[in-house]
Amino acid sequence: GLMGSSDGTRSTRGPGTEGVKALLLVLYPLLAVLVAPIALAGANQGLNGFQLFNDPAGELGTPLRGVFSYFATLMWAAATTCCVIAWIFLTRTSRSHPLRTWFLASAVLSGALTIDDTFAIHDQVLSVNMGISERLVFLIYSIPVIWYLVRFRRELLDRQDSALFMVSLLFLGSSLAIDVIHRTFPFVTSIEDL
């Protein structure tokens, strides 16, 4: 929490109760905005609350069902969280730090991909349920990704560990390629999850 210093001023260390209140005032309405349409869509399709909110492995009756997908979601979420924490730290300590904007953009991009992967947005919701061409969705997704790669090329490539980034980009590209060809060769989705 916030602690007073010897001169009577408040310390800026930690979010304090004001920060927590502000976070909750944003978080709860955001969750309501996200959950309400999903619950309504589910009810429209005859699904009850238990079916909507239960763990998919529990619904399917096998604990290992989707384990690789869960692992990928956890990795996306961890990457997003690391970027958010780095951005918050740099915002509080050095607003002019050159990597501050990069961490924010990385958090937004990773967060969007986490949500997409978790809820099968591009391959199920938009293309199957809403009838939007998956290729059009990929084209739309490619715009922020290309912007990110061009805008932050120095941050990404002028590093000792840029080979790791190139490998992760290769994996992301192969995942997208598999998404495109999986209807012709259904077995390749198993490779994508690895």
Side-chain angles (χ1 to χ4, degrees):
L2 293 175
M3 301 171 67
S5 66
S6 59
D7 64 357
T9 60
R10 299 176 103 182
S11 169
T12 58
R13 298 176 76 198
T17 56
E18 292 83 14
V20 171
K21 287 177 187 174
L23 178 65
L24 293 177
L25 285 173
V26 171
L27 187 61
Y28 282 122
L30 179 63
L31 287 174
V33 166
L34 292 173
V35 170
I38 294 169
L40 290 172
N44 190 35
Q45 293 184 6
L47 299 173
N48 63 38
F50 183 76
Q51 292 169 312
L52 284 172
F53 294 101
N54 193 25
D55 186 87
E59 276 298 299
L60 296 170
T62 174
L64 294 179
R65 184 77 176 237
V67 69
F68 291 113
S69 182
Y70 288 147
F71 183 72
T73 299
L74 290 172
M75 293 298 101
W76 277 117
T80 302
T81 303
C82 289
C83 291
V84 167
I85 290 170
W87 176 74
I88 290 170
F89 175 78
L90 290 176
T91 298
R92 287 178 175 234
T93 60
S94 175
R95 286 178 109 26
S96 62
H97 196 285
L99 293 180
R100 187 174 152 265
T101 307
W102 176 63
F103 278 120
L104 176 61
S106 298
V108 170
L109 185 61
S110 292
L113 292 172
T114 301
I115 291 169
D116 178 85
D117 196 42
T118 302
F119 299 108
I121 303 292
H122 76 270
D123 47 359
Q124 182 66 39
V125 175
L126 295 177
S127 59
V128 175
N129 296 47
M130 298 179 79
I132 300 171
S133 164
E134 194 171 22
R135 289 199 170 114
L136 176 62
V137 173
F138 283 143
L139 178 65
I140 293 168
Y141 274 35
S142 69
I143 293 169
V145 171
I146 290 169
W147 172 84
Y148 176 85
L149 294 173
V150 171
R151 166 64 179 83
F152 298 107
R153 64 189 174 280
R154 286 188 190 98
E155 289 84 349
L156 298 170
L157 299 175
D158 292 344
R159 307 176 58 80
Q160 290 178 341
D161 56 356
S162 62
L164 182 61
F165 170 72
M166 297 306 282
V167 168
S168 67
L169 197 59
L170 177 70
F171 283 139
L172 178 61
S174 65
S175 175
L176 293 173
I178 288 170
D179 278 347
V180 170
I181 65 169
H182 81 278
R183 285 179 180 76
T184 308
F185 306 102
F187 67 90
V188 298
T189 56
S190 298
I191 298 168
E192 177 189 20
D193 285 338
L194 293 176

